[in-house]
């Protein structure tokens, strides 16, 4: 599976962005998907995850109520809708695919990673 993240950019605090992650391959619908982020000088951290069917989602406390993860298996794409953005949301955002089991918050349990897309939130 190859993943291509897009949709990042510069936005003012309080604004919104929608990230997309397009996947190649016919088995996308069998993968749980996750979004992670890495701010400058910090470790990569979990943001959100979704099961292969889209029926189960999970969020980091820091984004709960502001971000929404979704997927369209017909389009081989997973999305991250980000609302009420804060300067502390500034980071490179990565999508990842997990080929075994359901979603996970753990970086090492994901098998494939996209290249990342930069989100910058100005105050």
């Amino acid at each position: 599976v190859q993943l291509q993240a897009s949709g990042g950019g510069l936005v003012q605090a309080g604004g919104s962005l929608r990230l997309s992650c397009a996947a190649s391959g016919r088995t996308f619908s069998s993968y749980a998907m996750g979004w992670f982020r890495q701010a400058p000088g910090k470790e990569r951290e979990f943001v959100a995850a979704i099961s292969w069917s889209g029926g189960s989602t999970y969020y980091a406390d820091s984004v709960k109520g502001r971000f929404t993860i979704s997927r369209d298996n017909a389009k081989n794409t997973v999305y991250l809708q980000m609302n009420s953005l804060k300067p502390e949301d500034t980071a490179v955002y990565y999508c990842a695919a997990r080929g075994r089991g359901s979603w996970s918050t753990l970086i090492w349990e994901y098998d494939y990673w996209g290249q990342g897309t930069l989100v910058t939130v100005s105050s």
Side-chain angles (χ1 to χ4, degrees):
V1 175
Q2 291 186 321
L3 304 175
Q4 180 74 37
S6 62
L10 174 64
V11 62
Q12 288 188 332
S16 298
L17 280 175
R18 188 176 82 156
L19 305 183
S20 299
C21 177
S24 64
R26 296 174 294 174
T27 58
F28 172 77
S29 60
S30 65
Y31 287 85
M33 299 295 296
W35 284 97
F36 293 77
R37 66 187 181 186
Q38 187 166 15
K42 295 188 177 181
E43 294 185 350
R44 193 170 299 188
E45 64 176 7
F46 169 79
V47 175
I50 189 167
S51 61
W52 66 269
S53 67
S56 176
T57 58
Y58 190 76
Y59 299 91
D61 287 343
S62 59
V63 307
K64 199 172 297 181
R66 300 188 298 122
F67 291 11
T68 302
I69 188 171
S70 61
R71 67 189 298 161
D72 184 339
N73 286 342
K75 295 182 178 180
N76 281 13
T77 303
V78 63
Y79 305 98
L80 185 68
Q81 177 67 44
M82 306 186 295
N83 298 329
S84 302
L85 282 161
K86 305 175 181 180
E88 51 263 44
D89 294 318
T90 295
V92 177
Y93 283 71
Y94 298 89
C95 59
R98 185 177 189 225
R100 308 167 309 279
S102 187
W103 52 260
S104 172
T105 64
L106 303 175
I107 293 172
W108 57 86
E109 292 193 340
Y110 285 81
D111 304 298
Y112 304 97
W113 291 82
Q115 86 290 359
T117 185
L118 176 63
V119 172
T120 304
V121 185
S122 63
S123 57

